[in-house]
Amino acid sequence: MLLSVFHDEVWLPSCANLRECTMVGYESAWQCHIVDAFGGLEIDSITADMIETWMAGMPRGAARKAWGVLRTMLRKAFRWGVSSVDVTTRVRGPKRTDHQPHVLDARQISALLRGFWGHELEAWLICSVTLGLRPEEALGLEWSDIDLRGGLVRIRRGVQWVSGHEVVVEPKTDLSARDVVLPRFAIIRLRQIRGRGDGRLVGGLNPGQVDRRYRRWCREQHLPFVPRENLRHSWATSALVAGVDVAVVSRALGHSSIETTARYYLRPDTSVLKDAQRLWEKSIMR
């Protein structure tokens, strides 16, 4: 079977229940990188050498994404008996880059929160930066999700902007549907803001509008800035630096395993490492 026929007749129907944003990414990889290279080939004729040569001609980021889609397709073809061999076991995929996103430290987070006092996005920012929410989770947060007495926040949905329209999605994983707790100062401030509106914390703004207004205000007020997705990283890394147990941070983030948290967020700075050595030294010098 030609890979293009497999894509149209088998692959696409099997993806019917995936998130729309996921399918947009898959189809982008297919149209931009895969179909011209392999679409006209019989699946069993695709070799490891052909795939590795193909990946070598792309930037690493694009190669990783395109290879991820092609690998999933070829593995499914093998499992379903369309292909007689799983060529993906013979391919050495692109190495994952050790990307460390720029994050805000505790002092910068404090300055950012003070700088948004009274701004229309203040409630959104408070929850984003104090709860470690994914961007779509923060955008989908409604006032009814927040218990302003106890400070408990229920994460039950996300809002994404896909191909020019808004999509409400369920939590990414079972553990992503979680309850998290606001710090005391955030509860007090959100009680004061609560009277200004109902529905979503961002009101009627779509994700693009939130992003633009957040960026513009940071620039105009000379505030510490990281992209919206890095507010989650900022909370996680600052919590770990403050001494919060990695298992607790993992639960708050909604990760499926502590390994994920440790791999992407556990980046102790030099001062933390020095403190660790002081404690160790003290234990052996008694």
Side-chain angles (χ1 to χ4, degrees):
M1 181 182 289
L2 296 179
L3 185 63
S4 59
V5 175
F6 175 79
H7 170 271
D8 296 341
E9 298 182 1
V10 182
W11 167 256
L12 285 180
S14 74
C15 296
N17 293 327
L18 294 179
R19 288 185 173 193
E20 185 175 350
C21 65
T22 301
M23 281 308 304
V24 168
Y26 282 175
E27 282 303 286
S28 174
W30 170 258
Q31 295 294 339
C32 294
H33 302 293
I34 301 174
V35 64
D36 288 343
F38 302 108
L41 300 179
E42 293 286 338
I43 295 177
D44 278 345
S45 71
I46 299 174
T47 67
D49 286 346
M50 292 168 60
I51 295 174
E52 291 186 357
T53 301
W54 165 70
M55 289 189 294
M58 287 185 279
R60 182 179 294 182
R64 282 190 61 248
K65 292 179 181 178
W67 163 237
V69 176
L70 179 62
R71 177 181 56 195
T72 305
M73 292 179 65
L74 294 177
R75 286 180 177 176
K76 182 165 288 189
F78 176 71
R79 288 199 310 271
W80 290 5
V82 177
S83 172
S84 61
V85 61
D86 182 6
V87 70
T88 66
T89 60
R90 305 172 184 172
V91 176
R92 184 173 299 175
K95 291 184 178 180
R96 181 182 295 273
T97 57
D98 187 19
H99 174 63
Q100 297 187 25
H102 176 58
V103 298
L104 304 177
D105 59 27
R107 183 169 54 84
Q108 292 171 318
I109 291 173
S110 178
L112 181 63
L113 289 169
R114 289 196 304 271
F116 269 80
W117 185 277
H119 191 276
E120 63 178 326
L121 293 178
E122 184 184 0
W124 163 82
L125 180 65
I126 288 173
C127 291
S128 295
V129 82
T130 65
L131 299 176
L133 303 182
R134 296 179 177 91
E136 64 266 26
E137 293 171 346
L139 290 169
L141 202 59
E142 300 179 0
W143 284 106
S144 60
D145 297 323
I146 305 174
D147 174 7
L148 289 176
R149 289 188 176 182
L152 193 68
V153 180
R154 295 173 291 276
I155 309 302
R156 296 294 183 270
R157 78 192 67 79
V159 171
Q160 298 175 337
W161 192 254
V162 183
S163 300
H165 67 278
E166 182 180 286
V167 179
V168 178
V169 297
E170 294 181 352
K172 187 175 181 181
T173 66
D174 290 342
L175 290 178
S176 296
R178 63 200 187 279
D179 294 340
V180 287
V181 179
L182 288 161
R184 181 64 181 168
F185 79 86
I187 298 173
I188 294 173
R189 181 55 184 156
L190 288 173
R191 286 174 182 169
Q192 298 169 345
I193 300 173
R194 176 66 178 87
R196 301 179 186 175
D198 207 346
R200 292 181 187 165
L201 270 59
V202 296
L205 299 178
N206 64 46
Q209 292 170 327
V210 171
D211 188 66
R212 289 189 294 273
R213 296 187 189 195
Y214 163 63
R215 289 173 177 270
R216 183 170 63 245
W217 189 253
C218 287
R219 183 175 63 252
E220 291 175 353
Q221 301 300 315
H222 306 289
L223 298 172
F225 171 80
V226 292
R228 287 185 298 125
E229 58 271 21
N230 289 14
L231 295 174
R232 173 176 168 87
H233 288 265
S234 296
W235 177 83
T237 53
S238 59
L240 290 168
V241 168
V244 180
D245 188 271
V246 65
V248 176
V249 173
S250 181
R251 178 178 175 182
L253 294 173
H255 282 163
S256 300
S257 71
I258 295 178
E259 290 181 1
T260 302
T261 312
R263 179 186 301 170
Y264 295 107
Y265 298 91
L266 190 55
R267 296 283 191 269
D269 59 22
T270 305
S271 63
V272 175
L273 295 174
K274 288 181 178 178
D275 289 341
Q277 287 289 40
R278 292 192 189 99
L279 290 172
W280 179 80
E281 181 183 28
K282 185 178 179 180
S283 69
I284 66 170
M285 295 299 289
R286 292 177 179 174

